[in-house]
Structure formats: structure tokens, C-alpha cells
């Protein structure tokens, strides 16, 4: 129990009558790099959105750091989490979106400093110093005063990563962060992620269609289909020697589409 | 009947006094319409169904009844309930609330137009709902609304003569009183029209400027 940072226990998620996650169970160890792969519509994004509290769940429990994400104790009883509880839980988690979702009315620097200043009371000068370090890290120190509209997709995504890092979460969620990018811009984002993976002890969950990146990056890969985990294992095993037929079919399709694994 | 320039010169200062009140009422009414419209729009989005519904009902009620009736109510009926408003206050409240029901629609559309990803990014950044409105949603939603809001303020300006019905001494009532006491209507009423036209003519290019300045760039 103490050895996991995320515990997903029998989680069910429905949109109306459509069940997207069915009795899903898995845990993540602190510092683990986890890749979630699977066909479109299998529920990968939904898992990340649920962890970020952008969605609620209909059944099961999620624990972050041993603490229940969507419920809290009051007078010895479990009740739905209030806004203060969710707020505290969110400090542990950051997310990077497929479509960046930068704040278009704020310059790059302000995109990064806004949340630390508002949510942690960090002083402006300190927040800006930290933001410049992060921009340096993602190779965009010269764009601090640029507006998001002036950046390429790859640059936007690197700013979005810096923005999430500024809050120093223990867990980072990446939802297909390169799939909206032109092919020639993918590598600059992947190399930032690679650097993060090797230099930080953050727990990272990554949804991706870039199989070769998942292969190099992840400690463990989960293959999803229709809201369930079909197969999981270290990338060397899952990519080269999958035991389930559905995993094999999925990987064959990926290879047929021209991707290296 | 002949146009009398001497009479024009004589009544002009009085009319300009009235115009001042007209502009003041429009300005204050616009400010109230903007603030209350935003308030209505936010309340209509409230998580509490009761609050959202009640606000919706109030807004529909105000929009569905004539401004003149509302002005009479504010000025002549409220005092019987113990609420005494000066004519100008009653006029500004009437104009402001009436137009707030229109501006609330503008706010609502503008807020709905903000992409869902902005709300989600704000949440992922752990901003509180208040911080999200204040720093993320409204600063993006309001600039594109400004031309539409300004349109309503111009429309409000042209409805200010209604305030003469509750004894506000604005342009129209000044004109009517000089006309009545001199038995001449040609000059006062023509000048009222010309003054309104002048202000509107200034407003139109100003609106275009606003439209260009705040045209959405995304
Ligand atoms: N807001 C929503 N309302 C209704 N259904 C939804 C909603 N969001 C997702 N779904 C459905 O939930 C299922 C899982 O969606 P999800 O986005 O998690 O899939 P995914 O594995 O991320 O797919 P992709 O690889 O295409 O991104 C899909 O069938 C999708 O249509
Ligand atoms: Mg997805």
C-alpha cells in the first residue's frame, strides 16, 4: 500500500448509458513512467482526465498518495469531496493537453507564473525567476514575452509543459501531447519529455500513439481496449512479445501504418 | 411657420442642460446594465438550479415588460412600499436593469464561446472558480463582446426620453417645457432630434473603432 502513489480500484466511468471504464484497477509506483496505449475510444484520455478531476467517477475509488481523491471523511463517514479537498489533491497533479490550452491573452511568462502566484502565493519576482529557469529547461528562454499565438505548436506545447512543471506536481499526466503537432515539431517536445523522464523523480503517465517513444520512455506499458486493461508489462515484453491477440492486432496495425516500435 | 434663430439661441443653453442629464443617465445606466448583465449571466450559470431558474425568470420578466411600465413602477409604486428614489436614480435603475436583460445574453454568449480547454487548463493549474473567472474566462470573453454591448448602450441612449415620464429633467422634458411655455414646437423638437442624431453619429464611428480594436484574433 505504501509503495504506490496512484491506486485505481474498481473504477467505473459512464457517459450517460455508455460505460467507458469498467471496473478498472491498477496502481502506479512513485517515480514510475507509465505509458497508456490502445485503440481510439478505449478510455485512455478519460483515465487522465479523471485523475485531474476533470471528470467524476460512478464507481470505485482512486487514491493519490494514500488519500481518497473523490471522497473525504467527515464525522467518521465518507462523503463526496468538497472543493477544498479537490483543491488540495490537485496540488499533487499536473496535466499537459493535446491542444496545449495555453491562456491566449497572457504572454508566455505570465502563462507560467499565474498559477504559482495565485495558488501558492509565490511572489512575482520568485515566480518569474523560476519560470525563466523552466523556459531555459524547455529551450524557450527567448520567448518569455511572446504571446501564445506567435508560437509554433511545438513551442506552445513546451510552454504548456513548463506551466505544469511550475506548480511542482508529483504526478504529471501527458495526453497525446504530440499528436496535434506537425511531424517535424514532434521531436522537440519528445526530447523535453525524455529529459524530464531521466532527470526528475516525478511520476509520469503518458497517453501516446508514438510507440517507439513509449518503448524507450516507459518503465511499464498498459494496453487498453474498451475501458479495460488487456495486457500490461515492461515495454520490451509488451512490444516485442505480446501475449494477447488484441495487443498483437493493435501493434500490427501500428506497424502497417508505418511506425517503428 | 418660420424657423426662428433667435429662439434657438435663447433655448439652446436649456436644451444643453437637458442633454447633460441625458448623457449622465445613459452613462450610469450603461454601467449598471453592464454590471447587472454580467451578474445575471453568472447567476444563470449557477450550480444551484433554484438560483439559475429564479434569475432566468426575473430576466424574462423584465425583458418581457415595457420599460415605461417599469419606470412608473420604480418611481410611483415603490414609494408606496417605502422605497423612495429620486427621479434620476429611478431612471438609471430602470434603464440599467432593463438593458441588463439584453447585455446578459451578450455575456452569456461570450462566456459560452470560451473554449472548454480554457476551463480545463485553469482547473489543471488548480485555480479556484473565482480565479478562473477573474483571470482566465472574463479577460478572454469580454473584449469580443464590447461592440455588441456598445450597440445596446446606443439603443439605451435613444430611449432616455422615456425618463421624462418620471419627471427627470433630461433633454426631452426640457424641450417640451420650453415648447409649452412659448407655444412653439418646431425649434425645440427639431433640436432634440438633431442633438440625438449628432451623438449617434459620433457613436457610429466610435463603434467601428471598437469593433476593429476588439475583433477576435483567435
Ligand atoms: N464528454 C463525453 N461525452 C460522451 N462520451 C464521451 C465523452 N468523452 C469521451 N467519450 C467517449 O468515451 C470513450 C473513451 O474516450 P477517450 O477519449 O477516453 O478515448 P481515448 O482512448 O483517449 O481515445 P483516442 O485515442 O481517440 O484519444 C469514447 O467512446 C468516447 O466517445
Ligand atoms: Mg484520447
Amino acid at each position: 500500500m505504501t509503495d504506490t502513489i496512484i491506486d485505481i480500484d474498481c473504477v467505473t466511468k459512464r457517459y450517460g448509458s455508455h460505460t467507458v471504464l469498467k471496473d478498472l484497477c491498477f496502481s502506479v509506483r512513485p517515480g514510475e513512467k507509465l505509458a497508456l496505449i490502445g485503440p481510439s475510444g478505449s478510455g485512455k484520455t478519460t483515465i487522465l482526465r479523471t485523475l485531474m478531476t476533470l471528470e467524476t467517477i460512478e464507481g470505485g475509488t482512486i487514491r493519490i498518495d494514500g488519500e481518497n481523491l473523490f471522497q473525504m471523511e467527515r464525522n467518521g463517514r465518507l462523503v463526496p469531496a468538497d472543493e477544498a479537498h479537490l483543491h488540495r489533491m490537485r496540488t499533487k497533479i499536473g496535466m499537459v493537453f493535446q491542444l496545449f490550452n495555453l491562456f491566449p491573452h497572457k504572454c508566455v511568462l505570465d502563462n507560467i507564473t499565474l498559477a504559482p502566484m495565485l495558488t501558492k502565493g509565490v511572489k512575482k519576482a520568485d515566480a518569474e525567476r523560476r519560470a525563466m529557469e523552466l523556459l531555459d529547461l524547455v529551450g524557450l528562454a527567448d520567448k518569455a514575452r511572446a504571446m501564445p499565438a506567435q508560437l509554433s505548436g511545438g513551442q506552445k506545447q513546451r510552454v504548456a509543459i513548463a506551466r505544469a512543471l511550475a506548480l511542482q506536481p508529483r504526478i504529471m499526466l501527458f495526453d497525446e501531447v504530440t499528436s496535434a503537432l506537425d511531424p517535424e515539431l514532434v521531436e522537440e517536445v519528445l526530447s523535453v519529455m525524455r529529459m524530464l523522464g531521466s532527470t526528475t523523480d516525478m511520476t509520469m503517465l503518458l497517453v501516446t500513439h508514438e510507440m517507439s517513444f513509449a518503448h524507450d520512455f516507459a518503465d511499464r506499458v498498459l494496453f487498453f481496449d474498451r475501458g479495460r486493461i488487456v495486457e500490461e508489462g515492461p515495454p520490451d515484453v509488451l512490444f516485442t512479445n505480446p501475449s494477447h491477440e488484441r495487443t498483437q492486432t493493435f501493434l500490427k496495425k501500428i506497424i502497417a501504418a508505418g511506425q517503428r516500435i | 411657420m418660420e424657423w426662428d434663430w433667435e429662439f434657438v439661441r435663447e433655448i439652446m443653453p436649456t436644451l444643453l442642460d437637458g442633454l447633460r442629464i441625458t448623457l449622465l443617465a445613459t452613462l450610469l445606466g450603461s454601467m449598471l446594465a453592464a454590471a447587472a448583465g454580467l451578474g445575471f449571466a453568472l447567476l444563470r450559470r449557477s450550480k444551484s438550479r433554484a438560483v439559475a431558474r429564479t434569475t432566468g425568470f426575473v430576466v424574462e420578466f423584465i425583458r418581457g415588460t415595457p420599460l415605461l411600465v417599469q419606470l412608473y413602477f420604480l418611481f410611483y409604486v415603490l414609494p408606496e412600499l417605502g422605497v423612495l428614489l429620486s427621479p434620476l436614480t429611478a431612471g438609471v435603475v430602470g434603464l440599467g436593469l432593463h438593458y441588463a436583460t439584453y447585455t446578459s445574453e451578450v455575456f452569456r454568449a461570450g462566456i459560452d464561446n470560451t473554449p472548454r480547454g480554457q476551463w480545463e487548463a485553469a482547473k489543471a493549474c488548480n485555480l479556484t472558480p473565482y480565479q478562473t473567472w477573474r483571470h482566465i474566462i472574463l479577460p478572454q470573453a469580454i473584449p469580443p463582446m464590447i461592440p455588441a454591448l456598445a450597440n445596446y448602450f446606443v439603443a439605451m441612449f435613444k430611449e432616455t426620453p422615456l425618463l421624462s415620464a418620471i419627471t427627470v429633467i433630461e433633454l426631452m422634458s426640457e424641450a417640451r417645457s420650453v415648447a409649452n411655455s412659448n407655444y412653439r414646437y418646431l425649434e425645440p423638437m427639431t433640436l432634440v432630434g438633431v442633438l440625438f442624431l449628432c451623438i449617434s453619429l459620433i457613436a457610429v464611428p466610435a463603434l467601428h473603432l471598437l469593433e476593429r480594436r476588439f475583433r477576435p484574433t483567435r
Side-chain angles (χ1 to χ4, degrees):
Chain A
M1 265 313 280
T2 50
D3 216 31
T4 59
I5 189 167
I6 303 175
D7 252 304
I8 295 183
D9 188 15
C10 265
V11 165
T12 298
K13 166 74 196 167
R14 279 185 220 103
Y15 289 114
S17 62
H18 177 37
T19 304
V20 178
L21 303 177
K22 297 178 194 105
D23 290 332
L24 182 70
C25 299
F26 69 90
S27 324
V28 187
R29 289 191 309 281
E32 198 175 9
K33 317 292 180 235
L34 196 67
L36 284 62
I37 63 167
S40 183
S42 55
K44 309 177 298 289
T45 295
T46 306
I47 294 165
L48 298 195
R49 291 174 54 81
T50 305
L51 288 170
M52 194 65 254
T53 71
L54 299 175
E55 305 285 349
T56 54
I57 54 177
E58 275 70 47
T61 48
I62 296 178
R63 276 173 215 287
I64 307 288
D65 242 351
E67 253 191 295
N68 203 320
L69 180 60
F70 288 115
Q71 290 174 310
M72 56 183 205
E73 247 177 66
R74 186 182 281 157
N75 307 327
R77 286 192 327 162
L78 275 185
V79 295
D82 60 14
E83 193 50 47
H85 177 89
L86 292 173
H87 186 79
R88 198 163 52 75
M89 297 303 286
R90 276 185 216 119
T91 60
K92 303 169 196 278
I93 311 173
M95 183 161 180
V96 182
F97 299 87
Q98 188 172 357
L99 294 174
F100 333 123
N101 296 348
L102 292 181
F103 305 131
H105 59 302
K106 297 202 173 284
C107 73
V108 165
L109 193 68
D110 293 348
N111 261 275
I112 301 171
T113 57
L114 182 75
M117 285 166 60
L118 289 178
T119 68
K120 293 183 153 181
V122 178
K123 290 207 189 66
K124 190 177 164 85
D126 295 337
E128 291 191 344
R129 185 155 9 89
R130 173 88 183 117
M132 287 311 298
E133 286 170 16
L134 288 168
L135 282 175
D136 229 9
L137 193 73
V138 300
L140 289 172
D142 56 328
K143 297 288 183 191
R145 292 292 167 198
M147 296 306 280
Q150 300 168 307
L151 303 181
S152 74
Q155 294 171 330
K156 282 183 195 164
Q157 196 58 294
R158 286 185 280 154
V159 172
I161 292 173
R163 179 176 70 179
L165 289 173
L167 287 164
Q168 297 174 303
R170 298 190 53 202
I171 302 169
M172 277 275 268
L173 313 171
F174 297 89
D175 186 15
E176 295 198 36
V177 294
T178 57
S179 59
L181 301 180
D182 292 337
E184 72 272 19
L185 301 178
V186 167
E187 186 46 39
E188 64 187 55
V189 174
L190 292 185
S191 74
V192 165
M193 310 249 312
R194 228 174 262 126
M195 179 265 298
L196 285 180
S198 58
T199 59
T200 70
D201 57 0
M202 268 188 309
T203 308
M204 295 166 79
L205 271 64
L206 169 85
V207 170
T208 187
H209 287 296
E210 301 275 341
M211 294 305 149
S212 72
F213 181 72
H215 194 156
D216 298 342
F217 179 82
D219 302 320
R220 188 156 57 109
V221 181
L222 307 186
F223 173 70
F224 281 83
D225 195 16
R226 286 173 239 160
R228 291 176 198 270
I229 298 173
V230 175
E231 180 167 359
E232 67 168 291
D236 275 335
V237 176
L238 194 129
F239 283 121
T240 52
N241 194 9
S243 46
H244 279 260
E245 195 198 312
R246 265 190 276 168
T247 322
Q248 291 162 4
T249 321
F250 175 74
L251 292 174
K252 267 192 203 121
K253 264 191 209 153
I254 297 265
I255 292 167
Q259 257 201 57
R260 204 168 51 78
I261 286 187
Chain B
M1 185 175 274
E2 225 164 83
W3 184 261
D4 181 350
W5 283 108
E6 191 50 43
F7 185 49
V8 169
R9 208 159 320 165
E10 202 176 297
I11 64 174
M12 205 54 180
T14 317
L15 294 187
L16 288 179
D17 274 348
L19 182 63
R20 261 204 7 246
I21 299 297
T22 293
L23 290 174
L24 181 65
T26 308
L27 184 72
L28 296 176
S30 300
M31 282 158 56
L32 179 59
L38 178 59
F40 285 151
L42 294 181
L43 287 174
R44 281 187 103 160
R45 297 178 64 98
S46 163
K47 277 200 195 111
S48 150
R49 285 272 296 267
V51 172
R53 285 257 191 98
T54 311
T55 312
F57 177 79
V58 169
V59 167
E60 292 305 328
F61 181 81
I62 297 178
R63 189 171 23 209
T65 49
L67 176 55
L68 187 59
V69 176
Q70 289 160 10
L71 291 172
Y72 265 76
F73 188 88
L74 286 167
F75 189 64
Y76 294 109
V77 181
L78 279 191
E80 291 176 24
L81 307 172
V83 183
L84 215 66
L85 301 178
S86 76
L88 184 62
T89 308
V92 166
V93 170
L95 282 175
L97 285 185
H98 191 82
Y99 275 87
T101 65
Y102 295 103
T103 59
S104 77
E105 289 301 317
V106 177
F107 282 112
R108 186 157 72 144
I111 289 165
D112 287 348
N113 270 340
T114 310
R116 202 176 61 148
Q118 292 294 306
W119 294 92
E120 297 181 345
K123 205 177 233 188
C125 286
N126 214 359
L127 303 190
T128 63
Y130 169 76
Q131 291 167 340
T132 304
W133 282 107
R134 160 87 178 69
H135 296 279
I136 307 301
I137 305 304
L138 293 180
Q140 289 182 65
I142 288 181
M145 307 176 188
I146 285 178
L149 292 177
N151 255 325
Y152 279 122
F153 300 154
V154 173
M156 175 193 292
F157 167 68
K158 288 188 286 187
E159 283 214 71
T160 50
L162 284 176
L163 300 193
S164 62
I166 56 167
T167 76
V168 177
I169 316 294
E170 43 67 70
L171 178 55
M172 184 64 189
S173 58
E174 292 280 23
R176 213 165 41 205
S177 76
V178 291
N180 285 339
S181 49
N182 294 282
Y183 305 104
R184 275 190 77 95
Y185 287 85
L186 173 66
E187 291 86 356
M189 291 309 144
T190 309
L191 287 173
V192 167
V194 169
L195 285 172
F196 268 99
L197 185 65
C198 285
I199 303 284
S200 297
L201 286 181
I202 296 169
V204 169
L207 266 178
H208 280 301
L209 268 178
L210 281 178
E211 245 155 66
R212 215 163 327 145
R213 165 78 178 73
F214 290 112
R215 185 174 297 155
T217 48
R218 213 168 345 132

